[in-house]
Amino acid sequence: MAFSTTLLYHHLLILVLFLLHAPPCLAAGGSWSILLPSIGISAMHMQLLPNDRVVMYDRTDFGVSNISLPNGKCRPNSTDCSAHSVEYDVVSNTIRPLMVLTNVWCSSGTLMPDGRLVQTGGWADGYRRVRIYKSCSTCDWKEIPNGLNQQRWYATNHLLPNGRQIIIGGRQAFNYEFYPKMSASENSPSFPFLAQTNDPNVENNLYPFVFLYPDGNLFVFANNRAILFNYSKNQVVKTYPTMPGGQPRNYPSTGSAVLLPLRLKKGTFESVEVLVCGGAPKGAFANANNGRFDGALDTCGRIKISDPNPQWVMETMPLARVMGDMLILPNGHVLIINGASAGVAGWELGRNPVLSPVTYRPDNKVGSRFEVENPSTKPRVYHSTAVLLRDGRVLVGGSNPHDKYVFTNVLYPTELSLEAFSPSYLDSSSSSLRPRILSPKSKTKIRYGKRVDVTFMVSGRVDLKSVAVTMVSPSFNTHSFSMNQRLLLLDSGNSTKALGKSTYKVSVTAPPSGNFAPSGNYILYVVHKEIPSTGIWVRIQP
């Protein structure tokens, strides 16, 4: 009996010591809602437009979709009279079918400064296509045959400071090009880094992670390593260390990545950091094709690329994840959502969906940055998508690990539904802390380096030192990467002041140049105690 009592005492002591030294376990939060049970297609690609509509599309050879083209239309030279693209109106929660003429499967795109979505590449008859969508109540896709020099399938696009977009890589395309073209003779410079990071028979470097650095160069991550690249001179400026462990992070061992918030102070940045999370281990692609599904990676690598001698700092996620999406929220937190915990990207190659999102707080201490959120009930595996909406919700759709629409007798049926994840900052308990922007009005134009006065209301008590203004670019999301995604924390110089009862003003300085924020449309938020307002659209220009 004495032995049992002593043993119990020791167990209790060990438990108490563990609880005292364990990192804090943050409570789950956030909520889910089904917006539409079916949008007719599986949303493989998404882009938020500056009129609060979202363009989505899958591929033209999935078979007949569940939404017809209007007025009896059919694609030319096809018996398929169904739509493979839709426009979703966030405000009215309705969809409208659109017609793509050629195959947009595994393509890429960029929202241009004038608000047009310019989408590039795809499969087969879509390899070299450029497609343009300018939103209106009756508008549809327009296509430019041979708009690209090279075939672009699984490429990455990024908006540049000069208003053009760069299109990097794609399957067996170890080069890059620009759109729009400056001349008919414009070539596609070779990009050896893509050949160097290509694993034979696997690749592991498709849809590379690309971010614009504030000096105008591009940070390019492929497979397990990265460079800083001067695309104008076709020169590697800096080579970063291989991520510890050397595991692949790009398609088909698909992880995700974000450029962490850029804090602007007196016309420059404090630091520039990139976070890469998830993926699949070496050999996972071959194993999955043979019916063995390796566990996904549970690590993130964070690197301060502005340091003279940058090094990766590794962190462990609470949930391993492959094919996850990483989105920057208006308050600077990072949401990791969608994906699976085993296998890789590809037809029928993923297993064990991860239903719970995870929030990452970049400014917390290591060990207390991750929070597991409340789960969805819908698996979102291969070909799922997510984008941030202006009201702070996250729009989630897609998931089709089959080469056709398949709804029965499979592990993970084709998913046509559209749902929203509402982070905990949208809880009603935070309503008294939530700012409401009074001015400027939406669609205001702001100029580089100029002062912007923002007035807002908060019904509850305000901590003037806990007010920030952020600016988020709407990203093009597909295959677990959000192209053109960036958040800027604008310099307010502690200028927040009360104007009257519940009314306040904060003066911020717009980004200094297109290297920090390429000209175009952004969503501007006021954030108070990490609770963001509904955003307003602004357009930054020289």
Side-chain angles (χ1 to χ4, degrees), residues 60-112:
T60 56
D61 56 351
F62 263 159
V64 177
S65 77
N66 282 23
I67 182 170
S68 298
L69 289 166
N71 306 318
K73 286 197 299 185
C74 302
R75 279 192 300 118
N77 305 314
S78 173
T79 58
D80 185 358
C81 303
S82 66
H84 293 280
S85 177
V86 298
E87 183 180 55
Y88 172 68
D89 188 317
V90 175
V91 176
S92 65
N93 194 38
T94 57
I95 58 169
R96 185 173 70 88
L98 303 174
M99 183 166 68
V100 285
L101 302 177
T102 53
N103 205 335
V104 288
W105 176 30
C106 300
S107 57
S108 49
T110 290
L111 186 68
M112 301 301 281

Side-chain angles (χ1 to χ4, degrees), residues 499-529:
L499 297 180
K501 184 180 179 181
S502 303
T503 306
Y504 304 85
K505 182 175 82 169
V506 57
S507 297
V508 295
T509 304
S513 73
N515 288 347
F516 290 80
S519 178
N521 296 278
Y522 293 78
I523 309 174
L524 185 141
Y525 296 91
V526 174
V527 181
H528 173 233
K529 290 188 173 180

